[in-house]
Amino acid sequence: MAKQVTFKTIFPAISVPLNDDYSINEKELRVYLRWLKSFYDKGIQGLVANGHTGEITGLTRAERKRVVEICAEECGDKMTIISGVNCENTQESIEMAREAKEAGADGILLMPPHMWLRFGMNPNAPFEYIKDVADGADIDIIIHLYPATSKAFYPVETLIKMCNEIPHVKCIKVGTRVTAIYEHDVRELSKHCPDISLITCHDETLCVTWFTGMDGALIGFAGCVPELITGAWEVFSHPEKHTLKEAQEWSNKIYPISQAIYGGGQPSGEAHARLKETLAQRGIFKSALMRKPVLPLDQEEKDWVAEGIKLSGLGKVDMSKYE
């Protein structure tokens, strides 16, 4: 039976374990992926390689492709495999998308060129960029929507045009991070693009952003505490079976570790380091090493992570069963 590719699910943006020499620990990565795959029936039916959590900007182009290959080998029989594409020009973005497809990806998470964050962009450029990559690589796309406070934010009118005129656009990772704009745009997108999956990427305020009725989430958080994320998702995705009190209880469980990793702010390089520290403290990774320029955590930050793990009721994971 052929697998069902879905864009309506929980996508962990996976971390990548490193050896002491900063090379990718492929053996440990495979074990980690098998562990995440064990949550398939609980709501994790896809994964994202080469997201910001996966240190995309710290990996070489060849390493990005290799990570996708490993994900496809371990999880591609059941799970929807997505690869991040982060590039400053259209032609190379097309080439990277093709490489991801060759490696086994079912789709890509297409990030804005980061020069837009500094200099802004022509209002027509985002549509042309998404369309050119979709046509050039012939691959399905999750649009990576950056915060409304950034110069690389796509207005809702642009998103609606993308969704309705580019067939390969299947999903939007909604990272607006301004609550009033977030709710307005989700409602507009739901009305004008009902077939497009809308998923939150607000790790730091996950349950709050699910109240608008989303189709899932694409978050690094799901790659280190999947038991909490899937438990909460069961409540929010089946509201007819659950109560508001249950939703609040899951939010309360998630809050301490969310604070420990994100500190109330949106994900950053340091947050990704704290997320990897969570993986190490839980016994999922042997090392929390990140590629520079992200620096190692000090003891105070490690203790902060340990307290978050404790208060959220999380324990060590026996990874030997996935080896």
Side-chain angles (χ1 to χ4, degrees):
M1 182 177 174
K3 84 171 180 186
Q4 296 295 310
V5 173
T6 182
F7 291 91
K8 297 184 177 184
T9 190
I10 304 297
F11 289 97
I14 65 165
S15 297
V16 176
L18 302 176
N19 296 305
D20 290 343
D21 63 357
Y22 293 96
S23 62
I24 295 171
N25 187 330
E26 293 194 6
K27 181 179 178 181
E28 191 165 83
L29 176 58
R30 290 181 184 277
V31 174
Y32 172 55
L33 291 169
R34 290 173 206 151
W35 174 61
L36 290 177
K37 189 178 181 180
S38 72
F39 290 88
Y40 181 88
D41 291 331
K42 295 182 179 179
I44 293 179
Q45 297 179 351
L47 58 83
V48 174
N50 301 318
H52 290 124
T53 305
E55 299 177 73
I56 182 172
T57 56
L59 300 181
T60 67
R61 189 162 154 180
E63 286 174 326
R64 296 177 192 183
K65 184 175 182 180
R66 180 59 183 152
V67 170
V68 176
E69 287 174 343
I70 293 170
C71 290
E73 289 167 6
E74 293 295 337
C75 302
D77 60 323
K78 293 176 66 174
M79 301 175 77
T80 300
I81 308 298
I82 305 295
S83 176
V85 170
N86 164 233
C87 187
E88 294 303 286
N89 68 85
T90 297
Q91 184 54 45
E92 195 172 12
S93 296
I94 292 170
E95 292 170 8
M96 289 183 183
R98 288 173 177 169
E99 288 173 358
K101 187 176 179 180
E102 290 168 4
D106 299 298
I108 60 169
L109 171 65
L110 188 53
M111 304 172 189
H114 283 179
M115 64 178 174
W116 291 350
L117 288 168
R118 173 66 177 86
F119 300 108
M121 63 214 175
N122 183 302
N124 298 318
F127 177 85
E128 295 296 327
Y129 179 59
I130 301 290
K131 187 176 188 305
D132 287 345
V133 175
D135 292 345
D138 187 25
I139 193 167
D140 288 342
I141 291 174
I142 298 177
I143 293 172
H144 195 311
L145 183 62
Y146 275 23
T149 52
S150 77
K151 292 181 180 180
F153 178 70
Y154 305 157
V156 71
E157 296 80 11
T158 299
L159 292 170
I160 291 169
K161 180 178 172 65
M162 291 173 178
C163 293
N164 288 334
E165 298 184 24
I166 306 173
H168 274 302
V169 171
K170 303 297 184 184
C171 178
I172 301 174
K173 176 186 176 185
V174 187
T176 314
R177 290 188 162 81
V178 176
T179 302
I181 299 173
Y182 176 90
E183 181 170 355
H184 171 271
D185 288 3
V186 165
R187 289 177 182 274
E188 287 296 296
L189 289 162
S190 297
K191 179 168 66 176
H192 295 287
C193 315
D195 295 330
I196 298 296
S197 173
L198 302 176
I199 56 180
T200 182
C201 70
H202 292 67
D203 305 61
E204 71 282 12
T205 54
L206 177 62
C207 292
V208 172
T209 56
W210 270 341
F211 269 100
T212 50
M214 303 297 278
D215 296 307
L218 197 169
I219 49 175
F221 211 19
C224 70
V225 293
E227 52 273 78
L228 292 185
I229 306 305
T230 55
W233 179 236
E234 163 61 26
V235 173
F236 281 91
S237 60
H238 297 97
E240 73 284 357
K241 298 180 182 178
H242 299 280
T243 65
L244 175 60
K245 187 173 187 299
E246 288 178 276
Q248 291 171 327
E249 288 171 349
W250 278 106
S251 183
N252 289 339
K253 289 178 184 178
I254 291 170
Y255 184 77
I257 188 61
S258 172
Q259 285 290 296
I261 293 174
Y262 302 107
Q266 63 175 286
S268 64
E270 289 68 31
H272 297 143
R274 291 191 290 271
L275 190 150
K276 193 177 271 191
E277 176 67 20
T278 304
L279 288 163
Q281 290 194 23
R282 299 196 69 202
I284 298 158
F285 285 1
K286 294 182 176 64
S287 168
L289 189 65
M290 296 278 289
R291 283 202 174 162
K292 290 184 174 181
V294 180
L295 300 178
L297 302 180
D298 60 28
Q299 191 57 50
E300 183 179 0
E301 289 175 297
K302 292 179 181 180
D303 292 344
W304 193 15
V305 168
E307 183 69 6
I309 291 171
K310 177 183 175 182
L311 292 175
S312 284
L314 296 160
K316 292 269 190 178
V317 179
D318 179 8
M319 299 300 286
S320 64
K321 67 179 71 173
Y322 306 103
E323 293 177 348

